[in-house]
């Protein structure tokens, strides 16, 4: 995206030709100096507001990581939940595959953990890729792949698979194929982070990127889906996760489901 040329809010409004419409009105309002002053002040306020709105107020990178479709990002929530996932899965976190948007950022964080290997799949096209992300892709640590198709990994290639902000954009037709495929490449389970119903509202740019608005489903819908697709919930890991979360008064901003791997 082309960056706007910054506007200098300290530029004097009295300079010749700086704000043509104010100058024009002043010429016609010499008999009303108070009106002219009011218009100049109003123009200054509008100019300062315009400059501030274009400055952004916060970096695009942070906004992209922490927000999807105007709500909390489940990918960002994975990092918040990481200490509790360690309590629930222990050594199973030594070889992790993350599937979802912002996988480069999450994988980079996981690689800093002791005795942890991590890989990622970005299911959508990447925009404004950082040098660090390009390096991860070049090394094959992170792949850009359509998760509606079989994953390029052998069965049980990873101890744990974590998926976030990805399944919400799939219709049941593709979920029937994608979720079992994630289970196939795991040896110790799959952790699903999904948004709560009513948590987010679709934006035009997000629909353009993901192909459809997110379909945020209830926990009862997911549980029925797991049963229908013969996927078994990992109650032991789920209880450990809940107990560890309760001790630290941690409440996930997203729904978290724990699934067993195939025997």
């Amino acid at each position: 995206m082309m960056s706007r040329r910054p506007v200098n809010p300290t530029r004097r409004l009295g300079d010749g030709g700086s704000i043509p419409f104010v100058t024009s009105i002043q010429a016609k309002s010499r008999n009303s100096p108070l009106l002219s002053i009011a218009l100049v002040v109003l123009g200054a306020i509008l100019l300062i507001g315009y400059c501030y709105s274009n400055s952004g107020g916060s970096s695009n990178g942070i906004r992209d990581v922490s927000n999807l479709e105007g709500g909390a990002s489940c990918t960002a929530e994975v990092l918040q939940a990481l200490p509790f996932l360690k309590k629930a899965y222990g050594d199973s976190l030594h070889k992790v595959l993350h599937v979802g948007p912002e996988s480069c950022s999450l994988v980079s964080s996981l690689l800093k953990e002791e005795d942890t290997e991590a890989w990622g799949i970005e299911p959508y096209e990447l925009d404004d890729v950082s040098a660090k992300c390009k390096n991860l892709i070049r090394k094959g640590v992170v792949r850009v792949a359509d998760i509606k198709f079989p994953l390029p990994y052998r069965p049980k290639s990873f101890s744990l698979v974590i998926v976030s902000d990805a399944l919400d954009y799939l219709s049941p037709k593709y979920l029937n194929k994608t979720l079992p495929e994630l289970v196939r490449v795991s040896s110790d389970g799959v952790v699903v982070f999904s948004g709560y119903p009513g948590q987010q509202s679709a934006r035009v740019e997000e629909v353009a990127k993901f192909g459809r608005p997110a379909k945020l489903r209830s926990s009862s819908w997911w549980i029925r889906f797991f049963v229908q697709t013969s996927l078994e919930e990992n109650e032991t890991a789920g209880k450990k996760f809940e107990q560890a979360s309760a001790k630290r008064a941690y409440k996930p901003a997203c729904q978290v489901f724990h699934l067993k791997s195939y025997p």
Side-chain angles (χ1 to χ4, degrees), residues 81-93 159-162 186-193 232-246 250 252 256-261:
L82 190 57
F84 313 106
L85 290 174
K86 289 181 179 179
K87 293 289 186 181
Y89 290 94
D91 294 339
S92 295
L93 274 171
S159 55
L160 192 69
V161 174
I162 301 174
S186 72
S187 61
D188 296 328
V190 174
V191 184
V192 177
F193 284 77
E232 186 178 355
E233 288 193 80
N234 190 334
E235 295 182 2
T236 301
K239 287 180 180 179
K240 288 182 179 180
F241 180 82
E242 290 176 2
Q243 290 170 356
S245 300
Y250 167 69
V256 184
F257 301 99
H258 305 263
L259 300 177
K260 289 183 177 180
S261 300

Side-chain angles (χ1 to χ4, degrees), residues 19 26 30 48 65 74 76 81 102 105-106 110 112 119 123 125 137 141-142 148 160 169 173 180 199-200 202 204:
I19 305 182
Q26 284 179 327
R30 291 175 181 172
I48 293 172
V65 171
C74 290
E102 305 298 341
S105 299
L106 185 57
L110 288 173
K112 296 176 183 177
W119 289 263
E125 291 185 8
I137 293 174
V141 176
V142 174
K148 294 193 294 291
L160 192 69
Y169 293 93
K173 172 185 175 182
Q199 186 180 46
Q200 303 164 318
V204 173

Side-chain angles (χ1 to χ4, degrees), residues 67-74 77 165 168 193-202 214 216-217 251-255:
N67 291 280
L68 278 177
E69 292 202 342
S73 162
C74 290
E77 192 65 27
D165 292 322
D168 293 333
F193 284 77
S194 175
Y196 284 103
Q199 186 180 46
Q200 303 164 318
S201 57
L216 302 180
R217 299 150 173 124
K251 187 177 181 180
C254 300
Q255 300 180 91

Side-chain angles (χ1 to χ4, degrees), residues 2-53:
M2 295 181 62
S3 60
R4 294 179 180 272
R5 184 177 180 181
V7 182
N8 185 359
T10 61
R11 184 178 180 183
R12 289 185 302 168
L13 298 176
D15 291 347
S18 60
I19 305 182
F21 81 91
V22 174
T23 304
S24 175
I25 294 177
Q26 284 179 327
K28 297 178 181 179
S29 307
R30 291 175 181 172
N31 295 330
S32 182
L34 291 178
L35 177 60
S36 299
I37 293 172
L39 288 171
V40 171
V41 172
L42 178 60
I45 293 173
L46 292 174
L47 180 60
I48 293 172
Y50 176 79
C51 295
Y52 179 80
S53 65

